[in-house]
Every structure is written in structure tokens, then in C-alpha cells.
């Protein structure tokens, strides 16, 4: 596999651990409207189907599955109230930055770094300002920057246009990330955390969807890059 000029990161599950934030916000939103608890396994099963990159859509679907009707706008309102809280004291405070200290700075000395996320810009900014440090991602492509969300390749096309003729890798943790990469003809690196309730299934699924490698977390990326560089030298 050719080494990249540009490394593009998804955010949730790649740069930021969101089990206790976004995933919990889904569960809390469903509980708010239905009184029922949804398991992390159920949420992961939907994610593994593809087409459920939007957590508001998924929350509404799970509410409907429990026999309750609620508008999309009301789902978004309650979800965001739970996620952001009143004064930044919501579930967002439970997010954890995954890259080890210095990892991205070291990568940025050799590679250009970019972001393509399913988050809206205001959601992403809140997290990057809190835990993202001063890493320069260029460009950052959020959900409100594209006409068609993942699994459409629009965001990756934007980054390809920014780095015309350069070689990209995309790191993501979902089927929709993999399908977006495939549609854009960008090599895909899957991320499947060992803590994933469907770890083995997710690894195999990401491979079937085109991942040329699946890592347990982003901190394993330097070893993969070195391996690719060694293979290039031997070719």
C-alpha cells in the first residue's frame, strides 16, 4: 500500500472516544421519550448496518421501535440538551481524546492532516476547543459543509480537490466511513476498539467493506505507516 501524503480522520471513535458521550446521548434520549434502556450492542448493530451515521436519526428510529412517535426536531432538541448541558456540563464532558500526546504533531511533520466528520461544525468545534489542542487540520469538512452526508464521498472529494494529485488515506470506524472511502477511491483504514461490544464482527465487516487494515486505535497508525513505507522500499 502506497504511503499517503494526506491522512484524513473521522472524529467519533477515531480521534475521540464517544461511548460515554454520543452513544450515551442516544441511550438517554430514547430513555427520555420511552422509559426504556437501549443496549450498546443494539446501537452498534445499527451502526454496522450502515446508513445510521446520524445519531439523531438513529435516536428517532429507536424511539419509534419502542412504539412512541416524536418529531425529528424534538429529538434533536432533547439530544443536544443532554449532550451539551446547560453550561457545557453535559455528556460532552465525558469525551476523551484518543491520540497519545505528541502523536498528531509527529505525524504532521511528515503528512498533511485533515478531518471528514459526520458531525456538524458547532458540535466539532466544541470538542476540538476542549480537548483537541492546537493541531492544524486542513481542511476540516463537517456535515454542514457537504450536500450529501456519508456514505456519500462528498467530503473526501472536497479534500481531494484541496490536495489535487496527492495520495490520501481515510481513517474511520463505521461502515459508512468505509463506503465513503470506497466511493471516493481513497484507501481506507478501519478502527475497531477492543472495547467495542461487537469487536470481532466489526473488524470483519470493515475488512469486507474495503479496509486494507483495521487498527485497535489511532495510536497504531505510525506502525502501519512504517510498514507501508518499508514495502514501498522493497518494491
Amino acid at each position: 500500500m502506497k504511503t499517503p501524503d494526506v491522512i484524513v480522520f473521522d472524529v467519533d471513535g477515531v480521534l475521540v472516544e464517544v461511548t460515554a458521550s454520543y452513544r450515551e446521548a442516544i441511550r438517554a434520549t430514547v430513555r427520555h421519550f420511552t422509559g426504556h434502556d437501549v443496549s450498546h450492542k443494539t446501537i452498534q448493530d445499527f451502526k454496522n448496518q450502515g446508513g445510521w451515521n446520524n445519531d439523531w436519526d438513529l435516536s428517532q428510529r429507536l424511539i419509534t421501535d419502542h412504539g412512541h412517535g416524536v418529531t425529528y426536531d424534538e429529538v434533536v432538541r432533547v439530544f443536544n440538551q443532554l449532550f451539551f448541558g446547560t453550561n457545557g456540563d453535559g455528556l460532552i464532558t465525558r469525551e476523551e481524546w484518543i491520540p497519545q500526546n505528541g502523536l498528531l504533531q509527529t505525524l504532521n511533520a511528515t503528512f498533511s492532516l485533515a478531518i471528514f466528520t459526520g458531525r456538524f461544525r458547532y458540535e466539532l468545534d466544541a470538542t476540538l476547543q476542549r480537548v483537541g489542542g492546537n493541531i492544524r487540520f486542513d481542511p476540516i469538512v463537517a456535515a454542514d459543509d457537504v450536500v450529501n452526508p456519508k456514505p456519500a464521498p462528498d467530503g473526501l472529494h472536497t479534500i481531494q480537490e484541496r490536495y489535487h494529485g496527492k495520495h490520501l488515506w481515510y481513517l474511520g470506524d463505521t461502515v459508512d466511513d468505509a463506503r465513503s472511502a470506497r466511493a471516493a477511491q481513497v484507501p481506507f483504514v478501519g478502527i475497531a476498539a477492543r472495547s467495542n461490544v461487537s469487536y470481532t464482527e466489526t473488524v470483519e465487516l470493515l475488512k469486507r467493506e474495503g479496509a486494507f487494515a483495521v487498527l485497535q486505535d489511532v495510536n497504531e497508525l505510525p506502525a502501519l505507516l512504517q510498514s507501508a513505507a518499508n514495502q514501498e522500499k522493497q518494491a
Side-chain angles (χ1 to χ4, degrees):
M1 177 58 63
K2 184 181 182 336
T3 55
D5 304 299
V6 185
I7 303 172
V8 185
F9 299 92
D10 179 39
V11 174
D12 298 347
V14 177
L15 295 177
V16 179
E17 170 54 52
V18 296
T19 302
S21 59
Y22 269 104
R23 295 292 175 99
E24 189 58 35
I26 295 172
R27 299 178 73 238
T29 300
V30 175
R31 190 183 308 117
H32 172 87
F33 286 108
T34 72
H36 292 279
D37 281 321
V38 176
S39 71
H40 286 289
K41 178 68 164 56
T42 296
I43 293 171
Q44 188 62 49
D45 286 345
F46 271 97
K47 294 289 186 179
N48 283 354
Q49 290 177 21
W52 296 103
N53 195 58
N54 184 316
D55 288 345
W56 300 327
D57 285 338
L58 179 52
S59 298
Q60 187 179 37
R61 166 61 188 272
L62 293 168
I63 292 165
T64 301
D65 285 353
H66 281 91
H68 296 261
V70 60
T71 67
Y72 182 77
D73 288 345
E74 186 66 3
V75 170
V76 173
R77 184 189 69 78
V78 170
F79 187 105
N80 282 355
Q81 184 178 51
L82 292 163
F83 184 73
F84 290 105
T86 303
N87 294 300
D89 57 353
L91 293 170
I92 189 175
T93 61
R94 299 185 184 181
E95 291 183 329
E96 297 178 3
W97 190 245
I98 297 173
Q100 295 172 352
N101 288 339
L103 172 70
L104 296 178
Q105 291 87 340
T106 299
L107 290 174
N108 205 191
T110 304
F111 310 98
S112 297
L113 307 182
I115 283 177
F116 173 36
T117 177
R119 290 194 189 198
F120 284 85
R121 179 76 60 161
Y122 71 90
E123 300 173 279
L124 177 61
D125 287 348
T127 291
L128 291 182
Q129 289 168 10
R130 192 176 64 84
V131 296
N134 59 354
I135 303 301
R136 182 173 183 267
F137 297 101
D138 179 32
I140 293 174
V141 182
D144 33 357
D145 298 318
V146 297
V147 174
N148 302 298
K150 299 176 191 178
D154 296 28
L156 290 173
H157 284 165
T158 296
I159 297 169
Q160 287 173 318
E161 291 169 5
R162 167 72 175 80
Y163 293 102
H164 183 69
K166 300 294 186 180
H167 187 60
L168 277 60
W169 282 9
Y170 185 38
L171 275 70
D173 70 324
T174 68
V175 167
D176 286 339
D177 294 330
R179 292 175 180 172
S180 179
R182 186 168 66 243
Q185 298 185 342
V186 170
F188 179 68
V189 179
I191 301 289
R194 272 289 182 185
S195 58
N196 187 320
V197 292
S198 303
Y199 172 75
T200 301
E201 174 190 338
T202 301
V203 170
E204 293 305 314
L205 182 60
L206 293 175
K207 288 179 178 178
R208 288 201 303 270
E209 292 290 341
F212 73 88
V214 178
L215 311 179
Q216 291 185 30
D217 69 49
V218 70
N219 296 298
E220 296 180 348
L221 180 58
L224 180 63
L225 289 164
Q226 186 60 57
S227 176
N230 290 341
Q231 291 176 20
E232 279 188 292
K233 291 177 182 178
Q234 295 169 7

